[in-house]
Amino acid sequence: MKKTKSIFFKTAIILALVVLLLDVLVLALTYNITYNNNLELAESRLRNAAEMTLKSTETYNLYDYVDKPEEGFNFDMICEMFDITYVYVVEPDVRTRSETYIAIGFGENASEEAINTRYPGIRVDGELNDSEIEAYNGNDDGVILHELSRFDDSLICYLPCTQYFDFKSNDYVEYKAPLVVGAELSLNDYNRSFQRQFNVITILTITLTLLMVVAFGVILYFKVSHPLRVITARISHFVTDRKKGFTKLKVKGEDELAQMSQAFNTMAEEIDTYIGDIEALTREKHTQEAELNIARRIQMGLLQPDNFDTAKMDIDAYILPAKDVGGDLYDYCVLDDGRIFTAIADVSGKGISASLFMSRAITLLHQYAQRGYSPARILERFNDTLAAQNPSGLFITAFVAIFDPQKHELVYSNAGHNYPYIISDKLVTLDSAHGVAAGLFAGEAFEDATLRLAPGDILFMFTDGVNEAKSASGEFYSTQRLEDRLRTCIGSDDPAAIHVVLDELKSFTEGAEQNDDITMLTMRVKPYVSEVTLNLKSDKSELVRIRSAIDQLDISEDKKKTLYLAAEEIFVNICSYAYDTQGEAGLNITVGNVIGMTFTDSGAPFDPTADVIDINDYDHEHSIGGLGRFLVFSVADRYDYEYKDGKNILSLYFNNEVNDR
Amino acid sequence: MKLNVTNEDKICTIVIEGSIDALTSPELEQAISGAAPVCEKMILDMTGVDYISSAGLRTVVAANQKLGKDNLVLKGLAPNVLEIFRLTGFTKFFNIE
């Protein structure tokens, strides 16, 4: 297990310190009290000793025994009696602060030095202290002096001795000057023994205390800290351990730890169930997401390519599905009669249900369009079929249009969808023929509206994902912005109106989450081409280019076929005869009241208008040459040839029936 | 151009769709010469032909020469295609239905 700083370890240390401090305090106090008590006892002993001395020498003139102390009172006895060190009587000389010993007794522990230097009759200078002077001056309470020095601790009690009883005169006789009785106790030895005892007590106490603290710590560790660590380990490895199978913690007793273990068990069981649920949910979600991806792919696969180009018009589509599979769709196709069907639709709601609905919707629209129905009829059938089987009550808004490239006519009908726009020399909102959204109410009637589209006009269709796209700050892109942007496309030769809107939309929604499909569809009628110029290689394969160039011209289909024929015959002749190897040819066609077609080549001079065969002389059994030239000059209304600047220039003219397209 | 050749009791039918021009006529020529040896009679169904140029005409003329007018039938000519035949005066050489 990892070494952790246990709170119990810290507590034990603090506790030990506190208890030690308390110990020291108590010991100090005890020391003090004991010491003071001892002092007091010693004082009273000294006082008694001094008084006893005074009493015992009451009947002596102490001076009589200065020279023969052994005959006088036995002062040593007093020392012995009261277990003190010294007892003495001195004659103070206050003026010189000296004193003269009159009598002295020594106790057991009197120092050798004192025994040798202190004896009756000795005068000691400068030894007279204030306490002695106080007693000398008559204080008979027993003046106590506690002399404390580095080497000495002694307690002395002084009493004045002023008189003695003289048996001869049977009266008290005053000494000529007061004497002072001193009883002295050296506390050194005493202190030493007291100190020793005290040290023993101190060591015992502290050891005991520490032992208790350690014992307490050990008990705490095994009873609280260790179980706590076990619980902690179980909690921190809960998720990893869970895989090996969940085991409960043992619950012993009813204390806090037991409650905690119990709480852990309950919590763990709940979390276990919860994690299990979440795991199941996550698995399910992954499966669902994978399925959603497939659904989205299938859905996108139902859509036509995003670009379609014919001679008459081009279609651009853009769809950006939101995160979930959505319900937007667009569709277009060229119908059997050459008309072009386009549709855009938006299913209410999102997700699988919307996408399924969308799949059905796109199939139905496509199917009804190919039956040759008008947009209104398509929407009616569409609505009826959807409404008949729509248990979840989804609905769909749709705009359907069919464009006739021959008549340049757009027929459209709207089932509750946002109004599309026509971008011509102005921006027109297609707000007529607007019916109810499809899918809910069978039997609804829709109407067709018809509009003439000029070459260069753009039909712009979109879903509400465009105008309701939100910026990062929550602002809508809005219809107003869309219209402003579309207006910039007026008069532009650029067919990609979608990209103009898309670019702005992308920067507008930057950083915001897209929450709806964004779909746009444009159909642009190609502008008339009134002139084409081609540089051709003298190779028959170039006929393909010639045909598509003629296809783009604003002339009738019949006229186009005439032009194909003339162009093919002339070009094939150039390919076959103009050059030994490969060369080049130019073709220019201009459309007006008269269609002019000019071929130029740099081959050998050859006038194709000369020697055109007379068809009546045509020997079709044997010669089939010259037939092509015959056809050309039959179908051309006028023709012209010149050889100029090293070039054959053949011009053909065809009358243009302006009204037949 | 799309071609579909069928043979029923030595009566061959070639259904032609699209344009018969300088680029596509060799294909038709091949189909005709391929079928001719086993056919007593040949029908060119041109209902689906929207355009023919001289190259196409030559192919058909060649077939006519090979098989003989009585054994080749041109069927379903669109007005603009018929017009080419008319212009060249070939209508009289062909068995046009």
Side-chain angles (χ1 to χ4, degrees), chain A residues 367-389:
Chain A
Q367 181 187 334
Y368 292 140
Q370 286 188 327
R371 285 190 196 172
Y373 293 157
S374 81
R377 184 73 187 123
I378 291 173
L379 284 179
E380 280 165 8
R381 290 297 312 273
F382 178 64
N383 177 46
D384 289 351
T385 311
L386 286 179
Q389 283 131 2

Side-chain angles (χ1 to χ4, degrees), chain A residues 547 565 568-569 615 620-621, chain B residues 21-22 51 53-54 65 93:
Chain A
R547 284 196 86 151
L565 182 69
E568 180 185 333
E569 301 300 351
I615 199 66
H620 85 276
E621 297 284 341
Chain B
D21 57 22
Y51 170 82
S53 71
S54 66
Q65 286 168 347
F93 302 121

Side-chain angles (χ1 to χ4, degrees), chain A residues 569-580 601 603-604 606 625-626 629, chain B residues 58:
Chain A
E569 301 300 351
I570 298 296
F571 186 67
V572 168
N573 266 350
I574 292 172
C575 293
S576 308
Y577 306 115
Y579 302 103
D580 291 336
D601 70 77
F606 173 71
R629 278 202 287 142
Chain B
R58 277 192 288 272

Side-chain angles (χ1 to χ4, degrees), chain A residues 20-255:
Chain A
L20 276 178
L21 195 72
L22 274 176
D23 274 356
V24 169
L25 274 176
V26 168
L27 284 171
L29 207 65
T30 313
Y31 182 90
N32 224 14
I33 290 169
T34 315
Y35 185 77
N36 286 339
N37 264 349
N38 284 339
L39 272 185
E40 263 172 47
L41 283 174
E43 270 174 40
S44 80
R45 227 160 68 224
L46 284 173
R47 202 172 266 122
N48 286 343
E51 271 167 11
M52 177 64 107
T53 307
L54 207 58
K55 209 111 206 164
S56 308
T57 57
E58 213 176 11
T59 54
Y60 302 100
N61 181 350
L62 286 164
Y63 284 105
D64 292 347
Y65 301 95
V66 173
D67 297 329
K68 41 185 172 153
E70 60 280 357
E71 287 178 22
F73 181 71
N74 187 359
F75 281 82
D76 290 349
M77 189 193 70
I78 297 285
C79 288
E80 213 172 299
M81 232 165 106
F82 292 94
D83 190 24
I84 61 175
T85 317
Y86 311 105
V87 65
Y88 45 80
V89 183
V90 291
E91 180 200 272
D93 180 349
V94 179
R95 194 177 51 83
T96 59
R97 281 199 164 272
S98 63
E99 55 189 10
T100 307
Y101 281 82
I102 303 300
I104 189 161
F106 299 103
E108 256 176 34
N109 44 12
S111 72
E112 281 297 312
E113 195 205 348
I115 293 172
N116 292 330
T117 54
R118 300 285 189 269
Y119 46 86
I122 183 82
R123 180 190 169 93
V124 184
D125 289 331
E127 214 173 62
L128 191 69
N129 58 50
D130 293 345
S131 302
E132 278 181 286
I133 294 170
E134 205 183 325
Y136 171 79
N137 287 336
N139 185 341
D140 60 357
D141 291 340
V143 182
I144 298 291
L145 171 66
H146 190 181
E147 250 186 0
L148 256 179
S149 70
R150 204 164 155 203
F151 307 106
D152 202 23
D153 181 2
S154 50
L155 199 64
I156 314 166
C157 179
Y158 297 111
L159 278 176
C161 174
T162 51
Q163 58 183 8
Y164 66 91
F165 189 80
D166 184 25
F167 288 103
K168 289 175 194 162
S169 56
N170 206 18
D171 200 4
Y172 285 95
V173 178
E174 294 272 330
Y175 287 115
K176 55 182 185 322
L179 302 178
V180 171
V181 176
E184 186 174 336
L185 174 65
S186 170
L187 290 170
N188 283 350
D189 293 343
Y190 179 78
N191 276 354
R192 261 195 290 282
S193 89
F194 170 69
Q195 207 82 47
R196 238 191 327 273
Q197 285 171 19
F198 193 79
N199 283 349
V200 171
I201 290 172
T202 305
I203 287 166
L204 271 177
T205 312
I206 288 177
T207 311
L208 213 61
T209 308
L210 285 177
L211 275 176
M212 272 171 66
V213 167
V214 168
F216 182 65
V218 167
I219 290 169
L220 266 187
Y221 177 78
F222 282 106
K223 280 289 173 190
V224 184
S225 178
H226 185 70
L228 270 181
R229 282 183 193 216
V230 170
I231 295 176
T232 309
R234 284 295 299 277
I235 291 176
S236 55
H237 300 122
F238 176 69
V239 176
T240 345
D241 291 349
R242 193 180 153 268
K243 287 174 192 145
K244 295 178 230 152
F246 168 67
T247 46
K248 288 185 174 186
L249 278 173
K250 282 180 202 139
V251 181
K252 275 186 284 183
E254 283 182 354
D255 59 11

Side-chain angles (χ1 to χ4, degrees), chain A residues 308-383:
Chain A
F308 179 69
D309 197 353
T310 72
K312 279 288 179 183
M313 45 108 251
D314 50 42
I315 287 174
D316 276 302
Y318 175 81
I319 186 162
L320 180 65
K323 209 167 144 200
D324 303 321
V325 285
D328 275 15
L329 69 91
Y330 69 83
D331 193 27
Y332 61 79
C333 65
V334 178
L335 301 176
D336 289 344
D337 57 7
R339 292 184 304 157
I340 293 123
F341 157 79
T342 59
I344 191 164
D346 183 358
V347 179
S348 64
K350 267 178 255 181
I352 292 288
S353 56
S355 83
L356 282 174
F357 203 81
M358 171 272 187
S359 308
R360 188 157 173 245
I362 196 169
T363 314
L364 288 176
L365 281 175
H366 205 80
Q367 181 187 334
Y368 292 140
Q370 286 188 327
R371 285 190 196 172
Y373 293 157
S374 81
R377 184 73 187 123
I378 291 173
L379 284 179
E380 280 165 8
R381 290 297 312 273
F382 178 64
N383 177 46

Side-chain angles (χ1 to χ4, degrees), chain A residues 9 13 60 62 66 105 150 209 266 301 309 350 392 404 424 432 455 468 479 505 567 595 635 645 647:
Chain A
F9 181 72
I13 295 284
Y60 302 100
L62 286 164
V66 173
R150 204 164 155 203
T209 308
T266 314
D309 197 353
K350 267 178 255 181
S392 38
D404 184 338
S424 54
S432 43
E468 288 172 13
T479 310
L505 202 58
I595 302 165
V635 296
D645 301 332
K647 282 181 176 156

